[in-house]
């Protein structure tokens, strides 16, 4: 029998409260469990001592017998100092995909070309304005 140390949800609608339990992995989330090992109240502030309460001795006994904690319970145990911090997969879900990065690069290139063209047009507009001003002065001195 595969034993999991996991959360079982209690509480009313929109007021969650969880029990940390040791349960058979085949039993439903809120169904039958073997032993209650602690509680978790997500509505309390993060710095509150009552937010997560664990019976650490019993949890260590269950782990010694082969029970596997779920990801969330493992994080609680890491915070309590029972387990070493595990390295987790960084899924990089927020990184844009291949096509989006290509489109962004095209937009940057287009903006850079437009900025160059604007700078060249500004320089060209300033240069002829200065040149004709010098030419009539030279013409006047030559006469």
């Amino acid at each position: 029998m595969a034993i999991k140390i996991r959360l079982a949800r209690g509480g009313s609608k929109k007021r969650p409260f969880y029990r940390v339990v040791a349960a058979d992995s085949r039993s439903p989330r809120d169904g039958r469990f073997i032993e209650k090992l602690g509680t978790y109240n997500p509505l309390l502030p993060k710095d509150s001592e009552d937010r997560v309460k664990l019976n650490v001795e019993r949890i260590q006994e269950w782990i010694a017998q082969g029970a596997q904690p779920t990801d969330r319970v493992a994080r609680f145990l890491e915070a309590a100092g029972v387990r070493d911090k595990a390295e987790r997969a960084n899924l990089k879900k927020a990184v844009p995909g291949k096509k989006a990065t290509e489109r962004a690069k095209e937009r940057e290139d287009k903006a850079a070309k437009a900025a160059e063209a604007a700078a060249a047009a500004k320089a060209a507009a300033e240069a002829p304005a200065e040149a004709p001003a010098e030419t009539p002065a030279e013409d006047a001195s030559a006469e």
Side-chain angles (χ1 to χ4, degrees):
M1 177 174 17
I3 304 294
K4 288 275 192 185
I5 300 173
R6 64 183 182 198
L7 298 175
R9 191 181 194 277
S12 60
K13 182 179 177 183
K14 298 190 179 188
R15 304 284 297 171
F17 183 82
Y18 297 92
R19 290 186 308 265
V20 180
V21 298
D24 183 3
S25 63
R26 297 170 294 183
S27 65
R29 178 192 71 178
D30 301 333
R32 191 175 71 192
F33 60 89
I34 302 168
E35 183 180 356
K36 180 180 169 185
L37 302 171
T39 60
Y40 168 56
N41 188 351
L43 298 178
L44 294 175
K46 291 189 178 186
D47 58 350
S48 173
E49 292 179 12
D50 294 332
R51 185 176 169 107
V52 179
K53 290 184 178 180
L54 299 172
N55 186 347
V56 178
E57 296 83 28
R58 289 298 299 155
I59 290 175
Q60 286 176 331
E61 288 178 26
W62 277 109
I63 291 174
Q65 292 177 17
Q68 294 294 316
T70 58
D71 291 340
R72 181 57 50 190
V73 174
R75 285 181 185 237
F76 293 155
L77 295 174
E78 289 169 6
V82 176
R83 287 178 64 122
D84 294 331
K85 188 166 178 141
E87 220 175 290
R88 292 178 183 80
N90 186 1
L91 300 178
K92 297 182 181 179
K93 288 186 177 182
V95 176
K98 185 178 177 182
K99 289 221 173 196
T101 52
E102 289 174 4
R103 276 185 248 126
K105 185 167 175 28
E106 288 174 8
R107 268 188 256 121
E108 289 174 9
D109 293 343
K110 194 173 184 181
K113 286 181 184 176
E116 287 178 18
K122 186 176 180 182
E126 290 176 0
E130 293 174 5
E134 294 172 7
T135 340
E138 292 172 6
D139 293 338
S141 63
E143 290 177 15

